Amino acid sequence: MMPLSFETVIGLEVHVQLATESKLFCSCPTAYIGSEPNTNVCPACLGLPGSLPSLNRRALELGVKAALALNCSINCMTKFHRKNYFYPDLPKAFQVSQYDVPLAVSGSMPIFLEGKVKNINITRLHLEEDAGKLIHETADGRLSGAAFSLVDYNRAGVPLAEIVSEPELSSPEEAREYVLMIRRLVRYLEVSDGDMESGSLRVDANISQKCSDGRWGSRVEIKNVNSLRAMERALEYETIRQRGLLLKGEEIVQETRHWDDNSGVTRSSRGKEEAHDYRYFPEPDLPQIAVERTLVENVRESLPEPPWKKREKFAREWRLSPADSASLSENLDVAVFLENVAASGADRQMAANWVKTDILRVLNETGLAVGDLQVGPEGLASLLAHVEKGSLSNTAAKDVLDIMLKKGIAVDDAMKEAGVKAGGVSRESLLGVVAKVLGENAAETALLFSGEDTSGKKRKFLQGLIMREIRGQAAPEDVSAMIDRVLDEMKG
Ligand code: ADP
Ligand code: MG
Ligand code: ZN
């Protein structure tokens, strides 16, 4: 009998906290981290009788923005529903969410995997309000064993966009790439800070196994994955657990399971997730929402090129390596900075090298954003023009860039400060001088040529003569490299 084989099927629900000042249906501030508990609340987000919700237009715009970038179709009439369940983090005992007419449907987004591109279809994007936060007084913050729980409603009503994927991801690695791409996108769009640690980006992972004998196990929804690593571990664990059951001929129970990061297992969860009958019904306090054409078109015009387009462009058109294309498209401002360096006349590959090593290094070291740097794209391009002409060696150019970054001065002034003369010797004339000096000093050159100059004294001597001829207008390592080049050419 053929051994059984399996295929993993994964679909993700990603909740993105929208970067608005105020909540989805009231004017309370959205800041809940670091605020005194239960201070950013009002009758509306506490669900007190007589209060009425009204939709935050900015949240709608941000939702439309993310949806358009994901190539979704926007529903021009969209509706809110009440999702009913009882749990202390939900003051109204229902969450206002969307049901049969979500804000947007049928999108797609590519992910990159070892050089291959895979398109993942997006089922829907809808808006909903967040719940409050429960604080359990146990060492690990978990409910079990707590004598009591505290509740903070500052987060109740904060706007979320839920992005639901089709079940088209086929491994934990693909799931990871998908979440990373969503995070990059929402940061590009400034729709959210996309921070998983602080909970601005939360993932519920659905997973099932298809067996080669035709069985397809039920899907399990995993909650409480609070980092990318946790998501991957949870999906790996579930893969093994489900395959084990199928191998034994058992059925997979369709259920919600809770990831326990400390013990590295998922457990069948009791609690609010078990309340499967949400008794959805239309929110009677909100009208249907007309998403005007002009709003959609204005948002569409404001969209930047998405991260996957930038990455593909760097790889295909610019011919950068896959790793460089990825790292230089990670952040929109950096990608645009690079494009502007090239637009100001610099060679693309050279611009990419400098942005990748020198600019990104400074950003990492200082924690600054690229827009805060004292050197703009034109400034870097003018420096690179000197390097290309050969009037600045690479090393000298790095010193000059340091001065430009520190003092915010133009390249010519920075060169003066660094003691480098503008219009120093070009590569071509350096080659001429080196060839001439080597020719005039045949005895020394012969020793270099045959490798007998073990102490390097003759090389030093020749280098000194060359330096004198060019009046020191090249870096010693460039002169040395040019000597090697001429020797190589002599060897044929
Ligand atoms: P629910 O309300 O039960 O969470 P949703 O429609 O909101 O249902 O989300 C369903 C999620 O489960 C989607 O991300 C979808 O891709 C995923 N999914 C559906 N079927 C499967 C399956 N057989 N295996 C894995 N994931 C699945
Ligand atoms: Mg769901
Ligand atoms: Zn409020």
Side-chain angles (χ1 to χ4, degrees):
M1 204 179 85
M2 282 274 288
L4 294 178
S5 62
F6 295 96
E7 231 177 89
T8 296
V9 179
I10 298 170
L12 300 182
E13 298 163 67
V14 178
H15 296 84
V16 176
Q17 187 191 315
L18 297 174
T20 57
E21 299 280 318
S22 56
K23 293 186 179 179
L24 188 53
F25 299 116
C26 64
S27 54
C28 292
T30 46
Y32 57 85
I33 292 169
S35 298
E36 187 70 14
N38 299 307
T39 51
N40 296 335
V41 290
C42 73
C45 55
L46 290 177
L48 299 185
S51 63
L52 282 175
S54 78
L55 180 65
N56 179 341
R57 188 180 170 85
R58 184 75 189 136
L60 180 69
E61 277 172 16
L62 294 181
V64 167
K65 201 171 183 187
L68 288 176
L70 290 166
N71 283 310
C72 290
S73 314
I74 307 287
N75 279 322
C76 56
M77 268 314 227
T78 187
K79 281 197 260 181
F80 284 93
H81 270 67
R82 289 187 180 181
K83 181 180 180 179
N84 300 277
Y85 64 90
F86 291 96
Y87 206 68
D89 64 1
L90 205 60
K92 296 183 281 197
F94 60 83
Q95 176 193 30
V96 178
S97 180
Q98 297 199 275
Y99 188 55
D100 56 348
V101 196
L103 177 59
V105 295
S106 310
S108 73
M109 182 184 78
I111 58 172
F112 295 81
L113 307 141
E114 288 153 15
K116 289 194 304 273
V117 181
K118 178 171 174 182
N119 224 45
I120 306 298
N121 287 298
I122 308 285
T123 318
R124 57 194 260 144
L125 180 150
H126 70 248
L127 300 178
E128 63 185 27
E129 56 179 351
D130 207 346
K133 260 190 161 170
L134 291 182
I135 301 139
H136 308 299
E137 292 293 288
T138 47
D140 61 358
R142 292 282 318 276
L143 181 56
S144 56
F148 59 88
S149 297
L150 302 168
V151 62
D152 175 8
Y153 289 130
N154 282 346
R155 201 179 66 181
V158 165
L160 303 175
E162 178 172 337
I163 302 166
V164 182
S165 85
E166 287 291 312
E168 294 176 349
L169 298 156
S170 26
S171 66
E173 296 73 44
E174 288 192 16
R176 175 194 168 82
E177 288 307 317
Y178 175 86
V179 174
L180 282 172
M181 193 58 95
I182 293 275
R183 189 175 73 179
R184 234 172 256 131
L185 178 67
V186 298
R187 289 179 175 170
Y188 259 56
L189 302 176
E190 295 178 330
V191 149
S192 171
D193 65 28
D195 194 4
M196 273 188 106
E197 271 88 85
S198 64
S200 308
L201 197 147
R202 276 167 267 162
V203 182
D204 295 338
N206 298 270
I207 177 168
S208 65
Q209 298 294 322
K210 259 186 186 169
C211 188
S212 54
D213 64 8
R215 284 179 298 159
W216 188 350
S218 308
R219 86 173 145 109
V220 162
E221 178 166 357
I222 315 171
K223 300 224 170 195
N224 196 43
V225 287
N226 299 322
S227 68
L228 279 175
R229 187 73 201 110
M231 181 187 74
E232 276 185 286
R233 287 174 69 211
L235 287 170
E236 278 155 17
Y237 175 86
E238 261 312 298
T239 301
I240 292 167
R241 190 186 70 84
Q242 293 179 13
R243 287 181 183 185
L245 288 170
L246 290 168
L247 280 172
K248 283 191 281 180
E250 289 178 30
E251 302 248 313
I252 312 292
V253 182
Q254 181 170 346
E255 62 180 348
T256 298
R257 296 177 70 89
H258 198 89
W259 169 247
D260 181 338
D261 207 46
N262 293 325
S263 30
V265 298
T266 63
R267 291 202 185 89
S268 187
S269 65
R270 273 159 276 119
K272 72 171 169 185
E273 292 88 1
E274 284 297 279
H276 277 313
D277 182 8
Y278 291 126
R279 297 178 296 121
Y280 275 100
F281 66 84
E283 165 60 69
D285 289 343
L286 282 165
Q288 285 197 40
I289 309 297
V291 187
E292 313 108 70
R293 236 194 127 82
T294 48
L295 179 143
V296 175
E297 290 320 312
N298 287 343
V299 171
R300 201 191 296 279
E301 267 167 38
S302 77
L303 287 178
E305 205 170 20
W308 52 88
K309 283 263 171 61
K310 289 260 187 269
R311 179 165 164 167
E312 272 180 339
K313 183 170 71 187
F314 288 156
R316 294 222 182 113
E317 260 176 57
W318 289 42
R319 309 230 152 254
L320 303 185
S321 72
D324 287 359
S325 308
S327 73
L328 290 165
S329 60
E330 184 61 35
N331 172 290
L332 176 63
D333 294 337
V334 171
V336 169
F337 182 93
L338 170 60
E339 288 170 342
N340 289 337
V341 178
S344 308
D347 171 70
R348 288 172 170 178
Q349 180 67 56
M350 188 178 199
N353 291 344
W354 279 74
V355 170
K356 186 186 59 170
T357 50
D358 299 272
I359 300 296
L360 289 186
R361 178 181 50 78
V362 173
L363 297 183
N364 284 336
E365 282 170 8
T366 57
L368 291 175
V370 73
D372 302 331
L373 293 179
Q374 300 255 40
V375 176
E378 301 81 15
L380 180 57
S382 61
L383 176 75
L384 297 189
H386 279 289
V387 180
E388 244 172 306
K389 269 189 299 183
S391 52
L392 263 182
S393 72
N394 251 309
T395 351
K398 305 231 167 198
D399 296 341
V400 173
L401 180 60
D402 272 347
I403 294 173
M404 290 169 75
L405 284 165
K406 281 207 189 84
K407 308 207 163 166
I409 53 178
V411 65
D412 297 332
D413 298 327
M415 280 167 73
K416 272 190 209 118
E417 270 216 48
V420 202
K421 287 171 211 81
V425 65
S426 73
R427 233 149 256 292
E428 233 185 312
S429 49
L430 178 60
L431 175 65
V433 172
V434 171
K436 175 175 148 261
V437 170
L438 295 198
E440 285 167 0
N441 298 273
E444 287 79 5
T445 304
L447 290 178
L448 255 69
F449 188 79
S450 59
E452 284 168 84
D453 179 36
T454 45
S455 64
K457 267 191 193 148
K458 302 295 175 210
R459 176 184 281 267
K460 274 240 171 76
F461 167 74
L462 291 170
Q463 209 160 319
L465 293 178
I466 296 162
M467 274 299 197
R468 198 178 313 152
E469 288 254 348
I470 60 170
R471 292 184 305 282
Q473 289 186 55
E477 67 271 17
D478 289 346
V479 173
S480 187
M482 193 59 85
I483 293 176
D484 289 332
R485 196 177 131 188
V486 172
L487 289 174
D488 273 352
E489 269 166 27
M490 289 163 73
K491 285 174 191 159

